[in-house]
Amino acid sequence: MNKILIVEDEKAISNLIKINLTDAGYRCECAYDGIQAADFIEKESYELILLDIMLPKINGYELIEYIRPLEIPVIFLTAKCDVRDKVKGLKLGADDYITKPFEIIELLARVETVLRRYNKSVHHFNLFDINVDTNSRIVKKNSKVINLTVKEYELLILFAQNKNIALFRDRIYEKVWGEAYMGNSRTVDLHVQRMRKKLGLENKIVAVYKIGYRLEV
């Protein structure tokens, strides 16, 4: 399981990131200023660091100078949205640069992309009694292989990446089928129903009136 250090002085944001990354299968620790982050990095090994720039004591620009020789990938996560700040961050060695506010789903995608670039991607995650190997696309429930269709598998991944979020049918369709939603909910409903029945998720993936579905954890 990949270990990620979140260096963010706003605890509400830090906690939100930690919850979502943990749900996605990562192990996370939080540092709230530059000195604390440097202490963590000295003692622990991390596969990725999410780094705010405007930090107390040591800012992100200074801290990345310390991190760079360690060859740990860094994603800047900051409110500094001026293009000159982005260029500076990337030139200092950051692998990516995300400005606040951001969508969690985008952050997860950026994290996965950077880890994949370094061959450190998460290949397994658990959801209740379900284990998913994203390399082999094998899904097991209580150690028994469950055969899902391609769309059912993509639906499972989408819900797992968006726990406790109400997903509109049009978004589900566009994400899984890769096409614009034309207002026919039958396709989405049919596949969701079959997927959750196969995996025993009838009481976990619930219908949201006039919207779509939500995975409750």
Side-chain angles (χ1 to χ4, degrees):
M1 184 180 290
N2 293 132
K3 193 171 181 180
I4 297 176
L5 178 63
I6 303 163
V7 189
E8 165 64 63
D9 62 323
E10 293 186 42
K11 292 191 175 181
I13 296 175
S14 182
N15 290 337
L16 177 66
I17 295 170
K18 182 178 181 180
I19 289 169
N20 282 278
L21 288 179
T22 302
D23 286 347
Y26 301 101
R27 280 196 301 149
C28 300
E29 288 185 331
C30 297
Y32 303 108
D33 63 58
I35 291 178
Q36 186 182 31
D39 289 342
F40 281 10
I41 295 164
E42 184 179 359
K43 296 174 183 174
E44 301 285 340
S45 61
Y46 299 96
E47 276 74 40
L48 176 68
I49 297 174
L50 299 178
L51 181 59
D52 191 8
I53 292 176
M54 293 181 287
L55 292 167
K57 300 180 182 178
I58 298 175
N59 69 42
Y61 290 143
E62 295 167 321
L63 192 59
I64 198 173
E65 300 275 8
Y66 173 74
I67 297 169
R68 196 166 52 196
L70 304 174
E71 299 184 346
I72 305 170
V74 171
I75 298 177
F76 272 129
L77 202 58
T78 175
K80 293 174 76 68
C81 55
D82 190 282
V83 67
R84 288 168 295 187
D85 294 312
K86 296 179 182 178
V87 170
K88 181 178 179 179
L90 293 171
K91 282 189 172 182
L92 283 171
D95 294 83
D96 203 347
Y97 192 107
I98 304 174
T99 56
K100 303 172 186 173
F102 54 86
E103 295 279 347
I104 286 296
I105 191 170
E106 180 189 1
L107 173 63
L108 291 170
R110 300 279 193 102
V111 165
E112 179 66 22
T113 298
V114 171
L115 290 173
R116 191 185 309 121
R117 193 184 306 152
Y118 284 80
N119 294 317
K120 296 178 177 179
S121 297
V122 171
H123 302 309
H124 296 267
F125 71 86
N126 295 313
L127 181 68
F128 308 113
D129 54 358
I130 299 165
N131 177 267
V132 180
D133 183 327
T134 56
N135 260 358
S136 61
R137 298 173 73 95
I138 292 176
V139 178
K140 294 181 180 177
K141 181 177 174 62
N142 293 325
S143 302
K144 180 183 177 184
V145 174
I146 305 296
N147 293 317
L148 299 179
T149 66
V150 172
K151 297 307 181 189
E152 290 165 355
Y153 176 84
E154 296 296 332
L155 282 169
L156 174 63
I157 298 299
L158 181 65
F159 281 113
Q161 292 174 338
N162 293 275
K163 298 181 183 75
N164 298 315
I165 296 174
L167 296 175
F168 285 79
R169 285 188 176 83
D170 56 350
R171 184 182 175 194
I172 294 172
Y173 190 87
E174 288 168 9
K175 286 287 183 183
V176 174
W177 276 263
E179 301 172 5
Y181 183 66
M182 302 303 288
N184 182 1
S185 64
R186 180 66 180 157
T187 299
V188 172
D189 291 341
L190 178 62
H191 283 78
V192 169
Q193 288 167 18
R194 291 183 62 84
M195 181 269 288
R196 64 183 184 182
K197 183 178 181 181
K198 286 183 179 180
L199 295 171
L201 294 173
E202 294 95 332
N203 296 323
K204 300 295 184 182
I205 297 178
V206 301
V208 182
Y209 183 60
K210 290 188 175 179
I211 292 180
Y213 295 92
R214 180 179 60 243
L215 171 61
E216 296 184 341
V217 298

PDB file of all heavy atoms in Angstrom, residues 12-24:
ATOM      1  N   ALA A  12      -8.857  21.132   8.017  1.00  0.00           N
ATOM      2  CA  ALA A  12     -10.082  20.642   7.372  1.00  0.00           C
ATOM      3  C   ALA A  12      -9.762  20.072   5.991  1.00  0.00           C
ATOM      4  O   ALA A  12     -10.261  19.008   5.612  1.00  0.00           O
ATOM      5  CB  ALA A  12     -11.095  21.767   7.260  1.00  0.00           C
ATOM      6  N   ILE A  13      -8.917  20.779   5.249  1.00  0.00           N
ATOM      7  CA  ILE A  13      -8.531  20.305   3.915  1.00  0.00           C
ATOM      8  C   ILE A  13      -7.683  19.049   4.036  1.00  0.00           C
ATOM      9  O   ILE A  13      -7.872  18.068   3.312  1.00  0.00           O
ATOM     10  CB  ILE A  13      -7.760  21.403   3.158  1.00  0.00           C
ATOM     11  CG1 ILE A  13      -8.674  22.604   2.911  1.00  0.00           C
ATOM     12  CG2 ILE A  13      -7.210  20.872   1.837  1.00  0.00           C
ATOM     13  CD1 ILE A  13      -7.971  23.784   2.269  1.00  0.00           C
ATOM     14  N   SER A  14      -6.739  19.072   4.963  1.00  0.00           N
ATOM     15  CA  SER A  14      -5.861  17.928   5.167  1.00  0.00           C
ATOM     16  C   SER A  14      -6.661  16.667   5.509  1.00  0.00           C
ATOM     17  O   SER A  14      -6.423  15.592   4.953  1.00  0.00           O
ATOM     18  CB  SER A  14      -4.867  18.249   6.288  1.00  0.00           C
ATOM     19  OG  SER A  14      -3.989  17.191   6.486  1.00  0.00           O
ATOM     20  N   ASN A  15      -7.626  16.818   6.415  1.00  0.00           N
ATOM     21  CA  ASN A  15      -8.447  15.673   6.811  1.00  0.00           C
ATOM     22  C   ASN A  15      -9.291  15.151   5.652  1.00  0.00           C
ATOM     23  O   ASN A  15      -9.454  13.945   5.484  1.00  0.00           O
ATOM     24  CB  ASN A  15      -9.349  16.048   7.992  1.00  0.00           C
ATOM     25  CG  ASN A  15      -8.564  16.234   9.267  1.00  0.00           C
ATOM     26  OD1 ASN A  15      -7.456  15.710   9.409  1.00  0.00           O
ATOM     27  ND2 ASN A  15      -9.112  16.994  10.202  1.00  0.00           N
ATOM     28  N   LEU A  16      -9.831  16.083   4.856  1.00  0.00           N
ATOM     29  CA  LEU A  16     -10.644  15.680   3.706  1.00  0.00           C
ATOM     30  C   LEU A  16      -9.808  14.866   2.717  1.00  0.00           C
ATOM     31  O   LEU A  16     -10.252  13.820   2.217  1.00  0.00           O
ATOM     32  CB  LEU A  16     -11.211  16.920   3.006  1.00  0.00           C
ATOM     33  CG  LEU A  16     -12.026  16.654   1.738  1.00  0.00           C
ATOM     34  CD1 LEU A  16     -13.302  15.892   2.074  1.00  0.00           C
ATOM     35  CD2 LEU A  16     -12.365  17.974   1.028  1.00  0.00           C
ATOM     36  N   ILE A  17      -8.609  15.343   2.455  1.00  0.00           N
ATOM     37  CA  ILE A  17      -7.721  14.621   1.536  1.00  0.00           C
ATOM     38  C   ILE A  17      -7.379  13.252   2.106  1.00  0.00           C
ATOM     39  O   ILE A  17      -7.417  12.241   1.405  1.00  0.00           O
ATOM     40  CB  ILE A  17      -6.444  15.438   1.285  1.00  0.00           C
ATOM     41  CG1 ILE A  17      -6.775  16.737   0.543  1.00  0.00           C
ATOM     42  CG2 ILE A  17      -5.430  14.619   0.484  1.00  0.00           C
ATOM     43  CD1 ILE A  17      -5.611  17.704   0.469  1.00  0.00           C
ATOM     44  N   LYS A  18      -7.041  13.233   3.387  1.00  0.00           N
ATOM     45  CA  LYS A  18      -6.650  11.970   4.016  1.00  0.00           C
ATOM     46  C   LYS A  18      -7.778  10.943   3.956  1.00  0.00           C
ATOM     47  O   LYS A  18      -7.558   9.771   3.625  1.00  0.00           O
ATOM     48  CB  LYS A  18      -6.244  12.208   5.473  1.00  0.00           C
ATOM     49  CG  LYS A  18      -5.773  10.939   6.173  1.00  0.00           C
ATOM     50  CD  LYS A  18      -5.320  11.216   7.605  1.00  0.00           C
ATOM     51  CE  LYS A  18      -4.834   9.915   8.269  1.00  0.00           C
ATOM     52  NZ  LYS A  18      -4.387  10.166   9.647  1.00  0.00           N
ATOM     53  N   ILE A  19      -8.996  11.375   4.254  1.00  0.00           N
ATOM     54  CA  ILE A  19     -10.142  10.451   4.238  1.00  0.00           C
ATOM     55  C   ILE A  19     -10.322   9.841   2.845  1.00  0.00           C
ATOM     56  O   ILE A  19     -10.490   8.634   2.681  1.00  0.00           O
ATOM     57  CB  ILE A  19     -11.433  11.190   4.674  1.00  0.00           C
ATOM     58  CG1 ILE A  19     -11.370  11.503   6.177  1.00  0.00           C
ATOM     59  CG2 ILE A  19     -12.671  10.363   4.350  1.00  0.00           C
ATOM     60  CD1 ILE A  19     -12.453  12.442   6.654  1.00  0.00           C
ATOM     61  N   ASN A  20     -10.264  10.697   1.832  1.00  0.00           N
ATOM     62  CA  ASN A  20     -10.511  10.210   0.470  1.00  0.00           C
ATOM     63  C   ASN A  20      -9.375   9.338  -0.053  1.00  0.00           C
ATOM     64  O   ASN A  20      -9.607   8.337  -0.744  1.00  0.00           O
ATOM     65  CB  ASN A  20     -10.757  11.388  -0.468  1.00  0.00           C
ATOM     66  CG  ASN A  20     -12.159  11.948  -0.314  1.00  0.00           C
ATOM     67  OD1 ASN A  20     -13.103  11.418  -0.889  1.00  0.00           O
ATOM     68  ND2 ASN A  20     -12.302  12.996   0.490  1.00  0.00           N
ATOM     69  N   LEU A  21      -8.140   9.702   0.271  1.00  0.00           N
ATOM     70  CA  LEU A  21      -7.015   8.875  -0.173  1.00  0.00           C
ATOM     71  C   LEU A  21      -7.005   7.538   0.563  1.00  0.00           C
ATOM     72  O   LEU A  21      -6.687   6.497  -0.016  1.00  0.00           O
ATOM     73  CB  LEU A  21      -5.693   9.606   0.048  1.00  0.00           C
ATOM     74  CG  LEU A  21      -5.398  10.786  -0.882  1.00  0.00           C
ATOM     75  CD1 LEU A  21      -4.069  11.435  -0.519  1.00  0.00           C
ATOM     76  CD2 LEU A  21      -5.370  10.350  -2.333  1.00  0.00           C
ATOM     77  N   THR A  22      -7.341   7.573   1.840  1.00  0.00           N
ATOM     78  CA  THR A  22      -7.411   6.330   2.609  1.00  0.00           C
ATOM     79  C   THR A  22      -8.484   5.412   2.036  1.00  0.00           C
ATOM     80  O   THR A  22      -8.278   4.204   1.879  1.00  0.00           O
ATOM     81  CB  THR A  22      -7.696   6.630   4.090  1.00  0.00           C
ATOM     82  OG1 THR A  22      -6.663   7.483   4.603  1.00  0.00           O
ATOM     83  CG2 THR A  22      -7.741   5.349   4.910  1.00  0.00           C
ATOM     84  N   ASP A  23      -9.631   6.003   1.708  1.00  0.00           N
ATOM     85  CA  ASP A  23     -10.709   5.208   1.105  1.00  0.00           C
ATOM     86  C   ASP A  23     -10.273   4.606  -0.227  1.00  0.00           C
ATOM     87  O   ASP A  23     -10.759   3.551  -0.633  1.00  0.00           O
ATOM     88  CB  ASP A  23     -11.945   6.079   0.883  1.00  0.00           C
ATOM     89  CG  ASP A  23     -12.673   6.374   2.182  1.00  0.00           C
ATOM     90  OD1 ASP A  23     -12.372   5.712   3.192  1.00  0.00           O
ATOM     91  OD2 ASP A  23     -13.525   7.268   2.187  1.00  0.00           O
ATOM     92  N   ALA A  24      -9.379   5.318  -0.916  1.00  0.00           N
ATOM     93  CA  ALA A  24      -8.908   4.834  -2.222  1.00  0.00           C
ATOM     94  C   ALA A  24      -7.789   3.803  -2.084  1.00  0.00           C
ATOM     95  O   ALA A  24      -7.279   3.305  -3.093  1.00  0.00           O
ATOM     96  CB  ALA A  24      -8.440   6.007  -3.071  1.00  0.00           C
TER      97      ALA A  24
END
